[in-house]
Structure formats: structure tokens, C-alpha cells
Amino acid sequence: MDSPAPPTRASWQDAAVLSYGFRPFFLAAAVWASLCVAMWVAWLRGAAALPSALPPLAWHVHELLFGMVVAVMAGFLLTAVPSWTKRPPVSGLPLAALFGLWVAGRAAIAASGLIGLVPAFMVALVFPIALIAVIGREIAAAGNRRNLPVVALLV
């Protein structure tokens, strides 16, 4: 009698959350938007403070536009572009890296009072630049010229 093989653990690369761009980014956008509102209200009432160089209203507006909205755009584009190009979706480690850049941008802006506003904005800009590069590469690699205006719009 052969004993059954021990169950294998799925690696983090096999995680469903990293299989399509909408999964980590839509989830993060929803969670981040909720947290931003809660943190902003607490900050305005004096119950909490962030080490941000931005005043509370500017931080709140920035994070909802450049945190939440950009995450939704990333999730949409990273899911739609494979349909447009007939190429496999960005997934696994590359998707995790993109998501990590988004998180780093949020952390940098939140801590901009400690690291400085210019370095924080530089860190926060890495994600949109990387996203444009990835989307552009996917569209160009497919030879899909009719969707190149999407890249121009992102720029």
C-alpha cells in the first residue's frame, strides 16, 4: 500500500488575489477609501494624527484621487488589457510588485512629515509610472495599435 502524497501548500504565487489586476487593486481601493475617511475624520477631530506634511483636507483629497481612484484604474486596466491584447494577464510576482509600489506610495504620503514632501511624492509617482510602462508594454507587445491612445491618456 502506497501512502498518499502529503498535501502540497499553494505558493503565494498561486494565490487567487494575484491572478488578475482587479483583485488586489479593487479590494485595496475599497479598504483604503474607507480607512482614509475614518482617519481623516479622526484627524480633524484631534483624536489621531498622521505624520503627513499635508494638512488633513489636502491629504484626504490626495489619497482619494491618487490612492483610491488610481487603484481602481489600475485594477480595470490590468484586467481589460489582456482582453484587448489576447495576452495573459499580469499576475503573480509582477502584480505583487506593482501592488507593493502602490502601497509604498500610500505609506510615503502618510509619512511625508518624516521623510519630506518631495521624497514622498517621488515614491508615490513610481507606481503610476510603472503602471504606464506595464500597460504600454502589453499593448505594444501585442501589436495592438488601436489601444495605444490609452497609454497616451495615462501619461
Side-chain angles (χ1 to χ4, degrees), residues 32-106:
W32 188 238
S34 300
L35 285 174
C36 281
V37 170
M39 289 187 296
W40 179 59
V41 169
W43 196 1
L44 283 177
R45 295 186 178 266
L50 284 177
S52 178
L54 298 172
L57 182 59
W59 174 83
H60 176 68
V61 169
H62 180 273
E63 286 307 302
L64 289 180
L65 289 176
F66 296 101
M68 193 267 305
V69 171
V70 169
V72 169
M73 286 174 38
F76 169 77
L77 288 170
L78 290 168
T79 303
V81 167
S83 296
W84 301 343
T85 62
K86 307 298 184 231
R87 290 177 50 81
V90 175
S91 61
L93 187 58
L95 182 56
L98 271 175
F99 184 71
L101 292 174
W102 179 82
V103 170
R106 309 296 43 89

